[in-house]
Amino acid sequence: MIGEDAGSNVLRVGFEAASTGDGTTSTSATAKADGSLNIGGSNGTLTLEDIRLVVSGIELEGNEEEDDGGEEDEEEENEEEENEEEEEYETGPSALDLPLETPEVAVAGEDDIGAGTYSTFEFEVEDVESDDDDEGEEQRELRAALDTLREDYPEWPNKASMVAVGTFTSADGSSSRFKVFFNAEIEVERPLDPPLTVTADGPSRSLTVEIDPTLWFKNDDGSVDNLAESDWDDTQELVEFEAEFEDGITEVEPGDEGEED
């Protein structure tokens, strides 16, 4: 989990592979000591060694904290609580190296957050549109994220928002390596319970998003995706990928106050 220093108004949002507490991310996946993840299926085993994403944005919504000495009329306060659900906090694009061996936590999204109570969490990975001529802040952050990813993947395509690297071992024992770039769209929106409270002393707690990649690559019939069939070096093509909250994002949890890295 990611903790906050007293007096800091920087919120860090952490990501980890979902864990059942017994060393596995699900009943069909096993985290290995080398940091890889084995996903067993009826047609073979998919071993994931690396998953990286371009997080396009993290948003928190809620009501601004009023500084009126508690004198605001109760009826007006109730009306504001009902109607004021405006975006309060948003990070720009960033690179995420998803840890596949729990209990590691990776940070994506780190920025100043204003005082208030935040009741809704949003997380998005979406189409990457990098414009070298655009000097806007979001484009600069996107180029910085891509530069980070290209330190290890210099061939990272301009429109790719996720990569998965590993091995597919078929039921007959033959193995094939893969590196697959995705045009991925992942959307998560869910309420925070309890809400995240931010005061002049900083956030009351951290946030950790649990992701289960098993649900992305295992099919209803019990088979796993043979990603080796979409290897970038062979196809030079992006794979389309979409996921909603229930497709692999298992939880958004508040950490305890005062937790440390």
Side-chain angles (χ1 to χ4, degrees):
M1 298 288 187
I2 307 298
E4 303 303 328
D5 295 330
S8 169
N9 66 338
V10 174
L11 176 69
R12 297 178 179 88
V13 180
F15 290 77
E16 66 181 356
S19 174
T20 59
D22 58 2
T24 64
T25 57
S26 76
T27 56
S28 59
T30 304
K32 299 173 64 180
D34 62 3
S36 62
L37 180 69
N38 279 350
I39 306 173
S42 58
N43 59 329
T45 299
L46 187 70
T47 300
L48 297 171
E49 299 171 3
D50 196 11
I51 294 179
R52 305 198 194 190
L53 307 104
V54 179
V55 176
S56 55
I58 295 170
E59 298 179 9
L60 294 176
E61 294 181 355
N63 296 324
E64 281 190 4
E65 187 173 78
E66 296 291 338
D67 185 17
D68 57 8
E71 310 241 340
E72 184 175 47
D73 182 84
E74 183 176 347
E75 182 177 346
E76 292 179 358
E77 183 177 350
N78 290 337
E79 182 178 347
E80 284 193 3
E81 288 179 354
E82 292 175 1
N83 297 329
E84 188 179 359
E85 281 292 330
E86 299 178 354
E87 178 184 306
E88 302 290 350
Y89 171 82
E90 180 178 5
T91 68
S94 60
L96 172 63
D97 183 354
L98 179 65
L100 297 177
E101 181 186 5
T102 58
E104 295 181 23
V105 175
V107 175
E110 183 175 358
D111 209 343
D112 290 348
I113 183 169
T117 299
Y118 299 87
S119 56
T120 303
F121 173 89
E122 295 183 28
F123 157 67
E124 288 188 343
V125 173
E126 60 185 6
D127 292 347
V128 172
E129 293 292 341
S130 179
D131 184 352
D132 290 338
D133 295 327
D134 189 340
E135 289 304 318
E137 181 64 23
E138 183 173 345
Q139 280 294 316
R140 287 195 295 270
E141 291 173 334
L142 175 57
R143 288 196 293 271
L146 291 174
D147 287 345
T148 297
L149 293 164
R150 284 170 178 154
E151 291 176 5
D152 292 315
Y153 296 97
E155 74 278 40
W156 189 288
N158 285 331
K159 294 186 177 182
S161 49
M162 183 170 77
V163 69
V165 176
T167 302
F168 176 76
T169 304
S170 64
D172 64 12
S174 59
S175 298
S176 301
R177 297 281 302 167
F178 64 79
K179 175 178 57 187
V180 178
F181 290 101
F182 297 84
N183 184 347
E185 294 189 25
I186 303 171
E187 296 183 4
V188 177
E189 180 176 350
R190 67 164 298 162
L192 292 175
D193 186 17
L196 176 71
T197 302
V198 181
T199 67
D201 293 327
S204 60
R205 62 196 66 203
S206 61
L207 292 176
T208 299
V209 183
E210 293 185 348
I211 298 179
D212 187 352
T214 306
L215 302 180
W216 292 348
F217 302 116
K218 188 154 188 177
N219 305 310
D220 292 339
D221 63 2
S223 65
V224 292
D225 291 337
N226 181 358
L227 295 182
E229 295 177 343
S230 303
D231 181 69
W232 172 259
D233 291 337
D234 294 336
T235 67
Q236 297 292 297
E237 293 182 358
L238 299 180
V239 175
E240 298 292 326
F241 175 85
E242 293 187 15
E244 298 294 337
F245 172 80
E246 54 274 2
D247 297 326
I249 313 293
T250 62
E251 189 59 86
V252 180
E253 295 184 340
D256 295 332
E257 184 175 1
E259 285 181 309
E260 299 296 335
D261 288 346

